[in-house]
């Protein structure tokens, strides 16, 4: 093959991740740092796993069960590390929220939290692609390609890139699902992530069968699509609930439940502001929330973002 083929394989594996990085992550320095830290963490975890399993190599290529044990232990280790990562993130979030309260600044929005989880998942996916795909692509830049006997229909490098893309997608959006599950105590989300990870890993064992890559790769992408659908439904549900709480706050004056940013943001505006919902109800803001600040400019920004009708009274 040529340099163009090698670059093409790399872009196939990481092209969507690059697009996601440029469109979402690159706009916020904190998210860039999150991606870099997450990538480093997961690369270290994979290196540790490979070091542990090196003592048992080489495995017999004619049997599949040693590889199944390897996959199960690897998935278990990574999912345990995901829980530890969540706890570390939660402590960081508490620190940031406490600092925001001290300086009378907004806490993290729900969308901010989801973007942080997305950045962490992207780091996980990139680490997987680098470890299992990019590290194998050096020969692809040469004048020839390589086939394996059990998947003679597709070049080995193309199979590797396709599998890497599927796992990048699964890891990226699984982190969003997992963090939401931990935060909300949602058992379905908490169990969905390790289950889809384990199933996707076990599906790769199909490649041991003759022509198995023709079956295994579509199943992997089915797992990726299921992850995307589940993540999309979860995000839509959370955002809808968040808007609903905002609407209830504007209509009846009762603050939304939970620790969403909108409550903390509203609580900082002065008592000499009335605020009215779109249906015309008029309330004293000071009767709903404790006044923590008197910044008129910030309240105006909130008014513009929510569409509420506000007026100043003497």
């Amino acid at each position: 093959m040529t340099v163009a083929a090698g670059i093409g394989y790399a872009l196939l594996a990481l092209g969507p991740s690059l697009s996601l990085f440029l469109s979402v992550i690159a706009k916020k320095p904190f998210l860039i740092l999150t991606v870099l830290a997450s990538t480093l963490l997961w690369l270290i975890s994979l290196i540790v796993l490979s070091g542990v399993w090196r003592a048992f190599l080489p495995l017999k290529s004619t049997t599949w069960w040693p590889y199944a044990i390897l996959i199960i232990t690897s998935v278990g280790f990574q999912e345990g590390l995901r829980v530890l990562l969540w706890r570390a993130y939660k402590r960081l979030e508490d620190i940031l929220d406490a600092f925001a309260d001290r300086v009378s600044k907004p806490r993290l929005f729900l969308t901010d939290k989801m973007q942080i989880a997305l950045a962490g998942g992207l780091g996980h996916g990139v680490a997987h692609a680098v470890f299992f795909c990019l590290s194998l692509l050096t020969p692809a830049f040469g004048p020839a390609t390589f086939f394996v006997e059990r998947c003679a229909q597709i070049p080995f490098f193309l199979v590797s890139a396709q599998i890497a893309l599927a796992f990048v997608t699964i890891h990226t959006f699984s982190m969003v699902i997992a963090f939401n599950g931990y935060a909300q105590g949602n058992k379905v989300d908490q169990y969905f992530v390790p289950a889809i990870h384990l199933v996707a890993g076990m599906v790769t064992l199909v490649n041991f069968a003759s022509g198995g890559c023709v079956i295994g790769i579509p199943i992997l992408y089915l797992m990726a699509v299921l992850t995307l659908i589940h993540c999309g439904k979860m995000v839509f549900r959370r955002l809808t609930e968040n808007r609903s709480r905002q609407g209830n706050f504007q209509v009846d004056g009762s603050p939304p439940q939970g620790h969403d940013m909108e409550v903390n943001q509203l609580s900082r505006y002065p008592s000499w502001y009335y605020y009215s919902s779109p249906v015309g109800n008029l309330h004293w803001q000071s009767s709903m929330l404790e006044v923590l600040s008197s910044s008129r400019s910030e309240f105006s920004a909130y008014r513009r973002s929510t569409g509420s009708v506000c007026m100043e009274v003497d």
Side-chain angles (χ1 to χ4, degrees):
M1 301 298 285
T2 63
V3 174
I7 295 175
Y9 293 142
L11 289 177
L12 175 60
L14 289 175
S17 299
L18 179 61
S19 299
L20 183 62
F21 180 86
L22 294 176
S23 61
V24 179
I25 306 299
K27 298 178 181 179
K28 298 182 179 180
F30 182 77
L31 295 182
I32 296 176
L33 294 175
T34 302
V35 170
L36 294 176
S38 177
T39 302
L40 179 61
L41 174 66
W42 292 107
L43 276 175
I44 292 174
S45 72
L46 292 172
I47 292 172
V48 170
L49 281 171
S50 64
V52 172
W53 272 97
R54 187 171 181 81
F56 301 94
L57 297 178
L59 299 176
K60 292 183 179 180
S61 59
T62 56
T63 57
W64 61 269
W65 63 266
Y67 296 94
I69 297 175
L70 187 154
I71 291 173
I72 292 172
T73 55
S74 298
V75 170
F77 179 81
Q78 291 184 62
E79 292 304 322
L81 184 59
R82 194 195 305 273
V83 175
L84 295 179
L85 181 63
W86 155 254
R87 292 180 178 177
Y89 158 74
K90 194 61 181 174
R91 292 188 62 181
L92 176 61
E93 180 185 319
D94 293 338
I95 293 173
L96 292 175
D97 286 343
F99 177 77
D101 291 341
R102 286 198 301 270
V103 298
S104 298
K105 294 295 182 180
R107 291 189 175 188
L108 292 173
F109 288 95
L110 175 62
T111 51
D112 293 330
K113 298 176 183 179
M114 289 183 175
Q115 287 179 355
I116 292 174
L118 183 68
L122 183 61
H124 189 185
V126 169
H128 185 280
V130 169
F131 195 84
F132 290 103
C133 178
L134 296 189
S135 61
L136 305 175
L137 286 185
T138 303
F141 290 87
T145 189
F146 177 69
F147 292 86
V148 294
E149 181 180 354
R150 295 180 179 177
C151 189
Q153 303 92 330
I154 309 175
F156 169 77
F157 303 116
L158 180 58
V159 172
S160 177
Q162 290 175 330
I163 292 176
L165 175 59
F167 274 101
V168 167
T169 304
I170 291 172
H171 289 321
T172 299
F173 295 97
S174 287
M175 194 71 75
V176 181
I177 298 171
F179 275 29
N180 176 76
Y182 300 144
Q184 298 293 310
N186 189 321
K187 297 298 183 181
V188 174
D189 289 346
Q190 292 179 18
Y191 293 140
F192 176 86
V193 172
I196 206 78
H197 190 181
L198 180 60
V199 171
M202 298 299 286
V203 165
T204 59
L205 296 177
V206 176
N207 294 327
F208 280 104
S210 179
C213 60
V214 179
I215 300 175
I217 291 176
I219 296 177
L220 268 181
Y221 278 89
L222 176 61
M223 298 294 102
V225 170
L226 289 176
T227 304
L228 283 171
I229 292 174
H230 188 88
C231 183
K233 289 182 177 179
M234 181 274 296
V235 171
F236 179 78
R237 184 184 72 250
R238 290 298 312 280
L239 293 179
T240 302
E241 292 172 352
N242 193 54
R243 293 194 196 98
S244 177
R245 285 195 291 266
Q246 279 186 281
N248 292 336
F249 178 80
Q250 289 185 337
V251 172
D252 59 22
S254 60
Q257 301 298 316
H259 300 284
D260 292 309
M261 184 52 239
E262 289 74 16
V263 178
N264 299 302
Q265 192 174 16
L266 274 174
S267 66
R268 305 196 325 272
Y269 301 115
S271 58
W272 38 263
Y273 268 101
Y274 277 118
Y275 108 95
S276 173
S277 70
V279 297
N281 293 331
L282 195 64
H283 305 278
W284 280 107
Q285 186 195 347
S286 59
S287 66
M288 296 179 285
L289 296 169
E290 179 184 0
V291 177
L292 300 179
S293 173
S294 59
S295 171
R296 302 189 185 193
S297 60
E298 290 181 359
F299 186 77
S300 298
Y302 174 78
R303 176 189 61 191
R304 290 193 298 270
S305 66
T306 59
S308 300
V309 179
C310 308
M311 63 180 179
E312 182 178 352
V313 295
D314 297 329

